[in-house]
């Protein structure tokens, strides 16, 4: 759910990035950080699911 919410915010930012105003650099930075956080959460979920599968298969 957290990743879906972050993805929604990230997609919403893309609308404002098309506009030209003073805070566009901050929005680019924010979108890059959200992309990194989504990637990190996906890696954590892969790790946790692998750990759970390993426990189940023993």
């Amino acid at each position: 759910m957290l990743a879906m919410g972050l993805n929604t915010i990230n997609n919403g930012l893309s609308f404002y990035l098309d506009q030209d105003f003073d805070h566009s650099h901050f929005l680019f930075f924010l979108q890059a950080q959200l992309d990194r956080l989504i990637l990190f959460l996906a890696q954590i979920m892969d790790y946790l699911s692998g750990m759970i599968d390993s426990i189940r298969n023993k």
Side-chain angles (χ1 to χ4, degrees):
M1 267 174 44
L2 183 61
M4 288 172 50
L6 290 174
N7 192 30
T8 302
I9 292 170
N10 196 5
N11 290 337
L13 282 175
S14 65
F15 169 76
Y16 292 106
L17 291 175
D18 292 337
Q19 310 299 319
D20 186 27
F21 58 95
D22 294 337
H23 302 292
S24 61
H25 295 291
F26 173 71
L27 292 178
F28 279 120
F29 170 76
L30 187 60
Q31 188 174 31
Q33 296 301 317
L34 283 173
D35 288 339
R36 290 178 60 201
L37 183 59
I38 290 170
L39 179 63
F40 174 73
L41 288 174
Q43 291 173 344
I44 291 293
M45 293 307 296
D46 287 340
Y47 173 75
L48 290 175
S49 66
M51 189 175 9
I52 290 170
D53 287 341
S54 175
I55 292 170
R56 284 184 183 169
N57 293 332
K58 284 189 175 185

